[in-house]
Amino acid sequence: MKLRNSSVSAREVAARAGVSRSAVSRTFTPGASVSEETRRKVLEAAEALGYHVNQLARGLTRQESGIVCLIGSDLGTPYRANLMKALTQHLQNVGKVAMVINTDRLDGSVDLALRQAIRYRADGSIILSGMPDKSITRLCLNNGQRLVLINRDDEHDGPLHINLDEAAAMGAVLMAFLRAGCRRLAFANSAAGTPSLMAREKGFIAAAATMGLDVMTERHGFTCYDSGRVLAHRLLTRKERPDAVFCVTDLIACGFMDAARQEFGLRIPEDLCVAGFDDIEQAGWSSYGLTTFSQPIDDIAARAVAWLDQGGRSDAQPLPSFIRLPASMVWRQSIRKG
Amino acid sequence: MKLRNSSVSAREVAARAGVSRSAVSRTFTPGASVSEETRRKVLEAAEALGYHVNQLARGLTRQESGIVCLIGSDLGTPYRANLMKALTQHLQNVGKVAMVINTDRLDGSVDLALRQAIRYRADGSIILSGMPDKSITRLCLNNGQRLVLINRDDEHDGPLHINLDEAAAMGAVLMAFLRAGCRRLAFANSAAGTPSLMAREKGFIAAAATMGLDVMTERHGFTCYDSGRVLAHRLLTRKERPDAVFCVTDLIACGFMDAARQEFGLRIPEDLCVAGFDDIEQAGWSSYGLTTFSQPIDDIAARAVAWLDQGGRSDAQPLPSFIRLPASMVWRQSIRKG
DNA sequence: TAACCCATTGCACAGCGGTGCAACTATATG
DNA sequence: CATATAGTTGCACCGCTGTGCAATGGGTTA
């Protein structure tokens, strides 16, 4: 067994197998013409030498690197982490691989990340947070790179947009609150102001308006547990204390519930109905039993990957560029049944 | 502005700038010799055309792709997700980029993942779960790829091993239990049997033995919340009910606490002391207030990345290959103060 | 036996950027 | 003014693999 410090190339395999380098290349290219005999010799030599096709070189000649960039921040958050997990899984299923670009501390937000994606000639990028400039979007498309935007409502064409039907969800939760007899509605939002969070806020307020109801709205901090606690203080110390709160995110809902119970002595759902969004694992923990909306994470991932993968094949009819998926309500114990 | 469907190459930039392709290459190679005048012309042309160095090609000639593979399962789990987040961050700080390989459904465990890493000529791989065969480890080293194993206690040489001082932690928590007046000790483990989980079990039992105490031990299921509930049932229905439980993981501790309080009516810490490990975010939520051990995630990530990065420079003295970091105890309310 | 078809194979070039070497320019020194 | 020196620049080759094209060989059919 020949051991070198640098890696083995096709030439060495060819030499050992007594064939041309082309034969080696064809052996590892599905659909290429190689005789059974040659293939056997090549595979044998490759095995002996520990040969692995160099994807960097392969990506250079084919116009496909097999790399897809996942761009986002707050990757440690339950929802984001699960989305990432699903995406990596689905990408691997179609033979691609995920490259993660963390934008937490990147001032240039996603633009810097997308440049990185271009440098690695990624086949596509999936953007989980932040919004790229239009100019960068153009740049990506011109570089033959496909873009998927998840939960970033916006207008421009070219990328695939996957969004949830937030309006429908807000309508459903409002109905649930009303059936529970609640009339003093509140909405607890973070100050992040991302499109999907704002869509929920607007959707909830609009739904309430059709029933002639006002909504007490607060926005504070990041989209996290601690903000939920602060929001509880803000909303529950109001003169007219709400009897139903929609928390824009499960994480916020958990903080809200903890503060409501422990610092205001409220019982949930008897004194206060609460709902959240995302259906993170903790929502199902028995300390919370949070009624919430489940994001179809697996479906989102499957569609994103299918769309990116379809870019390779020319025989496919174009898939739609705007997808709106339903978020299904998960009933637990934080809203009284009417 | 010239827009092509495929990406811009250095040749085109050179043509537009009226210089040789070498000049373009040197402009983007730190430390290469280019006059200020030429550099300016090149940068101008590059900007106009939207040129980005092709990392695939660059990785081919230099022996460094800039890619580091993160290999692991259960990436949606709080601890893993945070570790991944820290690793991606630190990698980016030294100019590298993370490629994630999810081994959740890979039967060939990490071996398949490492082959993928080799195909992309990753500069190194960081393994978060599972154990690679020795043969694969050799293969990686022969391909000039460096390996980091996190919390996978084992013997063989070559890779960097980063482990926690589980024994010390178990000694500390035992002391805390004893000071709280507990004598009926229990250990709630998952059935995963990974090295670090088993090290905690052994460490706890050993520490108890030196004090002449037995430990009721149970193992069940995956390392998750639901297992914690099951373990609570197993341990709290025993004839001699424990008055202190160490849960091998915070996730298990959360499930255990919920079941203990809600199904057995126990007060924590009055009736039962509980401790966990990892210091996930939820441990700090006020429903739990779990006393636990904080994994130095940022330190782990920093060391792993420094070690991989150092592989590039020849001027550095070799860093150690075995690192054992302390897990520091985070006091909250789940253990009575003695 | 001659003509023809098909599978297989190797050559040579392409994809993109890094870099040693030699040539060239401009400046400094004697 | 001649020479030494340092800084730039371009050529040409390298890293590794994919693939069009032509050549080869074998088998089949008339």
Side-chain angles (χ1 to χ4, degrees), chain A residues 88-156:
Chain A
T88 55
Q89 192 74 67
H90 281 271
L91 284 171
Q92 285 173 205
N93 287 348
V94 300
K96 296 193 183 292
V97 64
M99 177 172 273
V100 174
I101 302 182
N102 184 338
T103 57
D104 276 336
R105 285 182 219 166
L106 258 49
D107 297 334
S109 67
V110 281
D111 291 6
L112 233 58
L114 277 172
R115 284 179 200 284
Q116 180 82 333
I118 293 174
R119 281 205 289 277
Y120 276 98
R121 298 301 188 263
D123 299 338
S125 292
I126 301 178
I127 297 176
L128 311 181
S129 38
M131 276 301 302
D133 281 355
K134 285 217 187 66
S135 61
I136 294 284
T137 305
R138 281 265 296 287
L139 199 56
C140 284
L141 299 177
N142 290 332
N143 280 295
Q145 188 179 149
R146 302 167 73 83
L147 239 49
V148 178
L149 304 178
I150 297 182
N151 282 342
R152 338 249 79 237
D153 237 338
D154 76 328
E155 66 296 344
H156 57 298

Side-chain angles (χ1 to χ4, degrees), chain B residues 282-294:
Chain B
Q282 289 75 29
W285 289 6
S286 60
S287 283
Y288 298 100
L290 178 65
T291 293
T292 183
F293 288 87
S294 151

Side-chain angles (χ1 to χ4, degrees), chain A residues 65-335:
Chain A
S65 63
I67 297 173
V68 171
C69 284
L70 308 184
I71 299 174
S73 57
D74 299 321
L75 272 25
T77 269
Y79 161 64
R80 283 283 161 74
N82 279 306
L83 188 49
M84 295 267 305
K85 175 183 159 170
L87 285 167
T88 55
Q89 192 74 67
H90 281 271
L91 284 171
Q92 285 173 205
N93 287 348
V94 300
K96 296 193 183 292
V97 64
M99 177 172 273
V100 174
I101 302 182
N102 184 338
T103 57
D104 276 336
R105 285 182 219 166
L106 258 49
D107 297 334
S109 67
V110 281
D111 291 6
L112 233 58
L114 277 172
R115 284 179 200 284
Q116 180 82 333
I118 293 174
R119 281 205 289 277
Y120 276 98
R121 298 301 188 263
D123 299 338
S125 292
I126 301 178
I127 297 176
L128 311 181
S129 38
M131 276 301 302
D133 281 355
K134 285 217 187 66
S135 61
I136 294 284
T137 305
R138 281 265 296 287
L139 199 56
C140 284
L141 299 177
N142 290 332
N143 280 295
Q145 188 179 149
R146 302 167 73 83
L147 239 49
V148 178
L149 304 178
I150 297 182
N151 282 342
R152 338 249 79 237
D153 237 338
D154 76 328
E155 66 296 344
H156 57 298
D157 212 58
L160 167 66
H161 297 259
I162 302 182
N163 289 294
L164 297 183
D165 193 344
E166 328 257 5
M170 293 306 97
V173 75
L174 186 81
M175 280 302 131
F177 281 156
L178 294 185
R179 267 202 302 275
C182 304
R183 291 296 178 275
R184 299 191 304 280
L185 307 174
F187 193 94
N189 203 348
S190 77
T194 63
S196 56
L197 301 188
M198 293 314 288
R200 287 171 211 166
E201 183 181 309
K202 281 185 205 128
F204 190 79
I205 292 174
T210 65
M211 309 301 287
L213 292 172
D214 270 350
V215 177
M216 301 173 242
T217 303
E218 286 281 355
R219 295 187 202 139
H220 173 81
F222 299 108
T223 313
C224 66
Y225 175 88
D226 286 327
S227 297
R229 299 188 70 98
V230 173
L231 288 161
H233 279 273
R234 295 247 183 106
L235 285 166
L236 298 178
T237 52
R238 288 204 177 191
K239 205 172 297 171
E240 193 187 34
R241 176 180 285 178
D243 55 8
V245 184
F246 183 83
C247 298
V248 79
T249 268
D250 283 355
L251 235 32
I252 287 180
C254 287
F256 199 104
M257 289 174 84
D258 277 347
R261 287 203 270 231
Q262 292 158 22
E263 295 172 33
F264 293 87
L266 298 177
R267 293 165 305 159
I268 297 170
E270 294 82 357
D271 306 322
L272 177 70
C273 288
V274 179
F277 205 100
D278 283 349
D279 193 26
I280 64 176
E281 197 203 329
Q282 289 75 27
W285 289 5
S286 61
S287 282
Y288 298 101
L290 177 65
T291 294
T292 183
F293 289 87
S294 150
Q295 291 216 27
I297 286 183
D298 211 63
D299 201 19
I300 291 173
R303 303 239 193 179
V305 171
W307 192 82
L308 290 176
D309 191 41
Q310 170 244 222
R313 343 218 161 297
S314 53
D315 57 339
Q317 40 258 40
L319 299 176
S321 280
F322 285 81
I323 298 178
R324 190 168 291 280
L325 300 174
S328 59
M329 197 156 179
V330 179
W331 275 93
R332 295 204 182 87
Q333 301 88 42
S334 65
I335 300 183

